């Protein structure tokens, strides 16, 4: 072996060939060029969606008398004038539950805060639902979306996030028009939550779906265990009406990021806005050179819903809604052992400990109780307070609730100054629960509770067909009363 020695005044680094430095420089350049190429290739893709006229505060329409989902049956002028393609007509084909009736079914869409007619849209039949599931299956298989890279999936998420941020006010206005909520409720419950979920998927989704190692038992030391997350195919979501944008897009982005196609059934109450939101998502997929049919929107009456929940081609179902409907979905899904995830109702309490500074927190509690007019799955449904502070809390809640201003969120203030915009609370989604709310409040009063404020529907002086219920404060409620046991999702 021969080694070279250096004198004390010599520097060994001086004899390193400059080729090494050049090689490192070229390698670094290639790395940074590759990273830049990746950023450019998978960056957000811009796209546009036409803004609906009804999103404007100056928009007006025909006021429907006592509006409902079937108002078109009482008023033929509300029927659509354009001829609807066969697939979208909602005609009941042979084999469906209503095969003896070939009359197309429609859903009347209206603004619950004003009664304005938004549109009349055809409801899906069992045949339509099966066809949309098939479209999603074919798009998923043809595009090989299940084999897509996480960078390709992040590109879709970035594009959606870019569009939501840029069009946040329009999205909020569309949600307000279809549900009667305020712009603040839409900002908190629709826009911020949606952006947060998109950012989470972009930043952490890949790590959540990467293969995970599992420890083996000592006797199995010669084996290794891993968990792999694989796409299922076509999954379904049945979502509620209280947050039409957030509830629609949340299961879609989760499904797409996991490599699945998604079929969403929206509530009949928010078909108008859901159609526009779904159109934006499909436009995003098209802009990313993906088939728009990866996502499908279904809206039907309950009699046709089994075509979705009992389909053998649906590999997972997510449901947001009541316990009663959740049980029916579980029964239907059990036929093909379809996995189901349920988010059902509750009776969320706000527990106030003794010596709490009530005036300091009263506004926060009101926001928790009356956001979205109480139609909020994580809203406060009841207060549990120490007897020493009971009367003070009731007084504060009554005084604050009495000052709340109700009205249409997108309406401008009246010239006489009687109606001032913006309002504190919008409208309820419909009137069909008003009778039950009054019954529950009356029964609680008969059983010993005290109604300090409200308890009845409220007729707006400027909006005759608006669907408003008084802000209600009920105290001295015992746990055995119905009002304390079941979710009401209202201004109580």
């Amino acid at each position: 072996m021969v080694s070279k020695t250096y004198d004390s005044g010599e520097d060994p680094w001086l004899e390193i060939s400059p080729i090494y430095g050049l090689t490192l420089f070229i390698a670094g350049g290639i790395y940074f060029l590759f990273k830049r190429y990746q950023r450019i290739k998978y960056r957000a893709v811009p796209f546009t969606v036409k803004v609906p006229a009804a999103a404007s505060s100056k928009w007006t329409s025909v006021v429907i008398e006592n509006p409902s989902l079937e108002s078109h049956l009482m008023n033929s002028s509300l029927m659509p004038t354009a001829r609807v393609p066969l697939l979208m007509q909602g005609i009941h084909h042979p084999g469906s539950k209503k095969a003896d009736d070939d009359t197309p079914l429609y859903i009347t869409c209206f603004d619950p805060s004003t009664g304005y007619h938004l549109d009349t849209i055809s409801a899906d039949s069992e045949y339509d639902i099966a066809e949309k599931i098939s479209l999603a299956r074919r798009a998923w298989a043809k595009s090989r979306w299940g084999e897509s890279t996480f960078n390709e999936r992040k590109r879709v998420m970035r594009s959606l996030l870019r569009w939501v941020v840029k069009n946040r006010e329009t999205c909020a206005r569309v949600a307000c028009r279809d549900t009667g909520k305020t712009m603040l409720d839409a900002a908190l419950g629709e826009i911020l939550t949606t952006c947060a979920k998109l950012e989470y998927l972009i930043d952490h989704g890949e790590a959540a779906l990467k293969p995970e190692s599992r420890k083996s038992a000592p006797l199995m030391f010669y084996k290794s265990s891993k968990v792999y997350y694989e796409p299922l195919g076509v999954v379904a979501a049945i979502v509620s009406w209280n947050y039409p944008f957030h509830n629609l897009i949340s299961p879609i982005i989760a499904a797409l990021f996991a490599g699945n196609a998604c079929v969403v059934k929206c509530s009949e109450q928010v078909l108008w806005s859901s159609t526009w939101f779904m159109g934006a998502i499909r436009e995003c997929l098209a802009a990313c050179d993906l088939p728009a049919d990866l996502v499908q929107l279904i809206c039907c009456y309950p009699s046709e819903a089994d075509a979705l929940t009992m389909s053998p081609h649906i590999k997972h179902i997510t449901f947001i809604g009541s316990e009663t409907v959740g049980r029916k979905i579980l029964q239907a899904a059990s036929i093909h052992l379809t996995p189901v995830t349920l988010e059902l109702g509750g009776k969320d309490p706000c527990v106030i400990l003794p010596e709490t500074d009530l005036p300091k927190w009263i506004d926060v509690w009101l926001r928790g109780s009356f956001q979205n007019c109480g139609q909020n799955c994580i809203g406060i449904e009841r207060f549990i307070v120490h007897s020493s502070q009971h009367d003070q809390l009731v007084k504060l809640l009554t005084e604050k609730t009495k000052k709340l201003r109700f009205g249409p969120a997108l309406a401008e203030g009246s010239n006489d100054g009687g109606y001032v915009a913006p309002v504190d609370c919008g409208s309820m989604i419909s009137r069909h629960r008003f009778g039950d709310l009054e019954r529950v409040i009356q029964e609680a009063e008969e059983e010993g509770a005290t109604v300090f404020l409200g308890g009845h529907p409220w007729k707006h002086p400027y909006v005759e067909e608006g669907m408003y219920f008084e802000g209600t404060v009920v105290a001295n409620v015992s746990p055995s009363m119905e009002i304390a046991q079941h979710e009401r999702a209202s201004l109580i």
Side-chain angles (χ1 to χ4, degrees), residues 411-442:
E412 298 179 344
S414 60
N415 295 327
D416 60 4
Y419 180 72
V420 181
V423 293
D424 299 313
C425 294
S427 69
M428 303 286 282
I429 192 68
S430 72
R431 293 194 182 108
H432 80 275
R433 291 192 300 120
F434 284 5
D436 186 59
L437 293 178
E438 286 187 284
R439 176 191 64 80
V440 170
I441 294 170
Q442 183 178 350

Side-chain angles (χ1 to χ4, degrees), residues 214-221 223-225:
R214 292 288 189 270
K215 292 184 178 180
S216 301
L219 291 177
M220 306 292 287
F221 67 91
K223 289 189 176 182
S224 62
S225 301

Side-chain angles (χ1 to χ4, degrees), residues 192-214:
L192 291 178
T193 49
T194 298
C195 289
K197 290 187 176 182
L198 283 166
E199 288 181 334
Y200 180 87
L201 285 175
I202 294 169
D203 295 337
H204 308 291
E206 181 177 356
L209 293 177
K210 277 188 173 181
E212 299 176 359
S213 298
R214 292 288 189 270

